[in-house]
Amino acid sequence: MTVRRWRGSGKQRGPSEVWSDWTAADDAGDTRIATALAAEMLCIAPDSFYAWYHAALLSKALGRWAESLERNARAVELFTPTEAEDFDGVNPAAWNLGIAATALGDWATARRAWEAYGIQGMGSGLDPIDVDFGLAPVRLNPDQPSLPHQVLPAAGTTEVVWCWRRSPAHAVIANVPLPESGHRFRDVLLHDGEPKGFRRLGGQDVAVFDQLERLEDSGLITWQAQVTGASTDDLRELFGLLEERGLGVDDWSAMRMLCPECSRGIPDAGHDHTAAPSGVNRLGLAGPESELDRGLSDWLAPRPAVHLDLALLW
């Protein structure tokens, strides 16, 4: 076993001892010591997949994406059939390499990482990955960490939104988030790959992923519309009309505020999270004012009994 004499310690320490101190630092939430021990472990065990993999997890938790990319790339190189037996044949460092590369916009490395993980169809080249991975719910501003020392995004309140997933690690917000979330329609998000609860879509349970970072702020204005006198069919037509024009529309009055247990699990039918009806539809809208005005005017024209109050939120 490779050993290293630590300055001032007066004794030799091997990887098992350093790892023990590292996990103790994790439990204590001491990021400074954990960071130092991770660096020491890489010096003590430079050819260990596990040393590089766990050091890369720390870099991921701290959002140090260049360091995470470097460490995961080395872990991918050190992954052997022996390690594969511990991970059901897939390389977890390849997944985290894909996340780090996506965060940095290094699309060539991201493509290689997803291929190493076993995901095909990413294409080739240096352009951003833009593959239709379907709709997925993403938790904005997660309220619980997934890793020790994790730095969580904190733009506002926690909210789960539906997104167009464009790669295994990034997605575009398809809902109109509440302003309290600090996010906008069509923001681009970096998200993790571990399921943190489920939502229903088309009769199936779909995994919720936690946001890691906002990659792009769309800058699209968020509006609120109070609508009275509209039928379900009227609203359905409004949604279709605005969506065809690339505008954001969401029925905020139908939102459910889930308890933490249901939010991070499968929403329980035994828990009543349904808001009481008020007779007024509160809609979230997003997009340029001129485009939105034209769309709303076209919709209201044949509906003189419908009343709509529009307000700019942010």
Side-chain angles (χ1 to χ4, degrees), residues 133-166:
F133 277 78
L135 281 170
V138 176
R139 181 175 289 104
L140 306 177
N141 308 308
D143 53 350
Q144 297 179 21
S146 300
L147 296 168
H149 317 289
Q150 186 168 10
V151 178
L152 296 174
T157 58
T158 303
E159 181 180 345
V160 175
V161 295
W162 286 94
C163 299
W164 296 294
R165 203 171 174 207
R166 310 312 300 168

Side-chain angles (χ1 to χ4, degrees), residues 9-266:
S9 69
K11 66 175 183 177
Q12 291 183 329
R13 291 161 52 86
S16 61
E17 294 172 282
V18 177
W19 175 250
S20 178
D21 286 349
W22 184 357
T23 55
D26 283 350
D27 293 339
D30 194 325
T31 301
R32 182 182 63 82
I33 291 180
T35 299
L37 290 169
E40 289 289 346
M41 179 66 85
L42 296 181
C43 292
I44 292 171
D47 297 323
S48 167
F49 164 81
Y50 291 98
W52 287 96
Y53 171 61
H54 286 286
L57 282 178
L58 176 60
S59 302
K60 173 186 174 182
L62 297 174
R64 298 175 179 172
W65 299 118
E67 182 179 79
S68 176
L69 186 147
E70 179 183 0
R71 289 176 171 181
N72 278 303
R74 179 60 177 152
V76 168
E77 292 175 352
L78 295 170
F79 192 73
T80 70
T82 300
E83 285 80 30
E85 292 180 3
D86 294 337
F87 293 99
D88 297 323
V90 297
N91 188 340
W95 184 277
N96 288 326
L97 176 60
I99 289 176
T102 300
L104 295 169
D106 184 348
W107 298 107
T109 299
R111 287 181 167 89
R112 291 194 295 271
W114 301 132
E115 185 175 352
Y117 190 79
I119 301 174
Q120 306 299 320
M122 296 295 103
S124 60
L126 304 177
D127 292 336
I129 297 172
D130 189 20
V131 178
D132 184 3
F133 277 78
L135 281 170
V138 176
R139 181 175 289 104
L140 306 177
N141 308 308
D143 53 350
Q144 297 179 21
S146 300
L147 296 168
H149 317 289
Q150 186 168 10
V151 178
L152 296 174
T157 58
T158 303
E159 181 180 345
V160 175
V161 295
W162 286 94
C163 299
W164 296 294
R165 203 171 174 207
R166 310 312 300 168
S167 83
H170 84 288
V172 180
I173 297 179
N175 286 145
V176 180
L178 294 171
E180 293 83 0
S181 73
H183 288 75
R184 301 178 186 273
F185 174 61
R186 290 190 178 275
D187 278 359
V188 181
L189 308 176
L190 181 72
H191 65 76
D192 215 342
E194 181 182 0
K196 294 292 183 177
F198 294 86
R199 298 293 185 271
R200 299 288 288 179
L201 179 67
Q204 296 183 329
D205 290 328
V206 182
V208 179
F209 302 114
D210 278 356
Q211 176 193 12
L212 292 172
E213 195 171 289
R214 174 165 40 197
L215 298 178
E216 295 179 22
D217 184 337
S218 73
L220 292 172
I221 299 171
T222 300
W223 308 80
Q224 177 179 281
Q226 299 275 11
V227 181
T228 56
S231 68
T232 301
D233 287 341
D234 288 333
L235 292 174
R236 186 179 298 112
E237 185 171 334
L238 173 62
F239 275 53
L241 185 151
L242 296 182
E243 288 171 356
E244 286 176 2
R245 301 180 182 210
L247 300 167
V249 55
D250 211 347
D251 188 356
W252 285 349
S253 56
M255 290 181 68
R256 295 192 302 163
M257 306 303 290
L258 300 183
C259 63
E261 180 182 356
C262 288
S263 181
R264 291 192 163 269
I266 298 176

